[in-house]
Amino acid sequence: MNKLSLQLMDLLEISLGLDQAYFKHFFEENDSILRLNHYPPCQKPDSTLGTGPHSDPTSLTILHQDQVGGLQVFSDEKWHSIAPIQGAFVVNIGDTFMALTNGVYKSCLHRAVVNNRVVRRSLAFFLCPKMDKPVTPAAGLVNEANPRKYPDFTWATLLEFTQRHYRADMKTLDVFSKWVQEQESTQKSNTLGIYQ
Ligand SMILES: O=C(O)CCC(=O)C(=O)O
Ligand SMILES: [Fe+2]
């Protein structure tokens, strides 16, 4: 999974016109996560969700789902079911990759619904940066037409933030960025205070 995700990073890099293996080096060491989701049958599937709406805070998600179905993606103001295809993975962009590409690639809002008949299982591999590595966009993606959108941050900080602030919309990275900037300016004024 790790190897596949790095190969996908190469392709994404080519699609962005970058030529310095920036992402490959960036993710060479990583703190990726593997998660098994288990959704038992539910008596009230219309009033219950297996996984609530969210965007993955991670960089790239490679999801294997069984043949039951339940994954949905929000696009054009409605939820679309992503029907399982035997032998195929679903690949999602996460918030950290949105930051690394300065907003060129966008994360997507998705959820998992349940049913009242059978168990559903999915296996998600989340490519994540090394915990303490600064997440900063590739230089070639910041310019006058596309100025810097998000501050530098670490995966450890974003992970902790998302565990404390769940959002059922697409605004996680914007709200997190604002929080990081507020923290930085508080730190600056504290430092200035010491020397005043
Ligand atoms: O089970 C699924 O299809 C989606 C799971 C998911 O979105 C996640 O684990 O982040
Ligand atoms: Fe997800």
Side-chain angles (χ1 to χ4, degrees):
M1 277 296 184
N2 195 46
K3 200 167 158 198
L4 175 61
S5 68
L6 295 182
Q7 282 167 346
L8 290 171
M9 277 295 143
D10 275 348
L11 296 178
L12 288 165
E13 182 142 334
I14 292 168
S15 77
L16 289 160
L18 302 172
D19 55 7
Q20 288 177 325
Y22 182 77
F23 298 138
K24 203 177 192 160
H25 287 137
F26 183 83
F27 288 108
E28 223 151 41
E29 282 191 303
N30 57 67
D31 279 320
S32 296
I33 301 165
L34 191 66
R35 180 162 72 206
L36 176 65
N37 298 304
H38 176 94
Y39 307 102
C42 172
Q43 286 170 352
K44 293 195 170 174
D46 295 334
S47 47
T48 312
L49 285 169
T51 302
H54 66 282
S55 56
D56 293 337
T58 50
S59 298
L60 193 76
T61 305
I62 303 177
L63 183 90
H64 169 73
Q65 52 172 337
D66 63 17
Q67 292 303 298
V68 174
L71 175 63
Q72 296 187 334
V73 172
F74 195 72
S75 169
D76 299 328
E77 300 303 311
K78 47 181 191 286
W79 288 102
H80 301 267
S81 293
I82 307 299
I85 300 173
Q86 190 97 45
F89 292 128
V90 175
V91 178
N92 274 349
I93 299 293
D95 289 335
T96 304
F97 194 66
M98 180 148 78
L100 280 171
T101 62
N102 200 27
V104 176
Y105 272 96
K106 306 209 176 344
S107 57
C108 70
L109 193 66
H110 56 283
R111 68 181 186 182
V113 297
V114 286
N115 69 79
N116 56 11
R117 296 166 291 108
V118 280
V119 166
R120 172 172 182 263
R121 290 191 187 96
S122 67
L123 185 66
F125 173 81
F126 300 99
L127 177 67
C128 307
K130 196 101 187 92
M131 281 290 180
D132 55 356
K133 193 172 173 70
V135 174
T136 196
L141 300 175
V142 181
N143 48 49
E144 237 173 79
N146 193 29
R148 185 77 193 262
K149 286 203 171 69
Y150 312 104
D152 279 4
F153 60 88
T154 63
W155 166 234
T157 320
L158 176 59
L159 181 62
E160 199 199 330
F161 182 87
T162 55
Q163 282 167 350
R164 278 190 286 125
H165 308 274
Y166 166 72
R167 290 196 71 92
D169 60 23
M170 297 288 290
K171 295 200 182 118
T172 300
L173 193 56
D174 288 334
V175 175
F176 171 70
S177 296
K178 215 170 146 222
W179 177 80
V180 169
Q181 279 156 342
E182 278 166 14
Q183 296 290 107
E184 281 167 2
S185 60
T186 312
Q187 264 165 18
K188 257 188 216 148
S189 54
N190 284 349
T191 316
L192 283 176
I194 291 170
Y195 293 104
Q196 263 165 10

